[in-house]
Amino acid sequence: MRIAFIIIRTERTSKKMVADLVQDLKALKRKNGSIYIITNIYGKQGYAEGVNNGIREAQKDHCDLYVILNPDIRIKNMNGGDLLAPGATFDIWGYAMKQDGVTYYKGVLDAWRLSAGLSSAQPQDRYIDAPFVSGSFMCIKKEVIDKIGFWDEG
């Protein structure tokens, strides 16, 4: 399986931040992985457009899995098996994330308010279904893009 690690950065992203994430990705020791750094200069390109550009580049290299990452993500304690394990069950998956000292486990929708947010309620199971996955660290199988197309840039 060829893996595309797609990092979406802005002009405000420090070079050190990107270098730290690239170091984390190389530590996964995925010989069949490529790193794509997509730069959104001065906000002229939206996040979805940046992701789509990264996927298009990865498609040229016949990648089977697209891992979308914000540059402020750190995965230094993760290994390749941890990264790929949810793929046995899910076609799109993400991971718990810690922000401002709070760990968030999944995205939640509020149909009444027509809004969304993140849940800090720790699930009992390791892998759970969730209404949505945060785009800050998301894995998408090639088959999903083949079936539904690219991200909506609108």
Side-chain angles (χ1 to χ4, degrees), residues 55 59 66 140-150:
I55 291 172
Q59 285 177 329
Y66 310 112
I140 307 170
K141 289 183 179 178
K142 174 188 180 298
E143 293 81 17
V144 173
I145 300 299
D146 290 345
K147 185 172 184 175
I148 65 171
F150 292 98

Side-chain angles (χ1 to χ4, degrees), residues 73-148:
I73 297 292
R74 293 304 309 265
I75 59 169
K76 59 185 173 185
N77 296 323
M78 183 176 269
N79 64 48
D82 292 337
L83 177 73
L84 299 176
T89 306
F90 300 102
D91 292 331
I92 300 173
W93 66 94
Y95 299 90
M97 63 180 188
K98 188 177 251 184
Q99 186 174 3
D100 298 326
V102 178
T103 301
Y104 296 101
Y105 296 95
K106 67 178 182 175
V108 292
L109 300 176
D110 184 337
W112 177 254
R113 292 185 179 92
L114 299 175
S115 64
L118 298 170
S119 173
S120 61
Q122 185 171 4
Q124 293 182 356
D125 297 323
R126 181 172 184 181
Y127 303 118
I128 59 169
D129 285 324
F132 72 89
V133 175
S134 170
S136 62
F137 185 6
M138 168 189 281
C139 299
I140 307 170
K141 289 183 179 178
K142 174 188 180 298
E143 293 81 17
V144 173
I145 300 299
D146 290 345
K147 185 172 184 175
I148 65 171

Side-chain angles (χ1 to χ4, degrees), residues 14-61:
S14 73
K15 290 180 181 180
K16 181 182 181 338
M17 192 180 289
V18 173
D20 288 345
L21 178 54
V22 168
Q23 180 179 338
D24 290 351
L25 294 172
K26 288 180 178 180
L28 291 174
K29 295 184 168 74
R30 302 297 311 176
K31 294 178 183 171
N32 53 353
S34 299
I35 298 171
Y36 305 85
I37 300 171
I38 307 300
T39 303
N40 178 359
I41 298 295
Y42 306 110
K44 292 182 181 182
Q45 172 177 281
Y47 188 77
E49 184 179 355
V51 169
N52 288 340
N53 288 338
I55 291 172
R56 284 185 186 97
E57 288 298 313
Q59 285 177 329
K60 294 176 189 175
D61 295 330

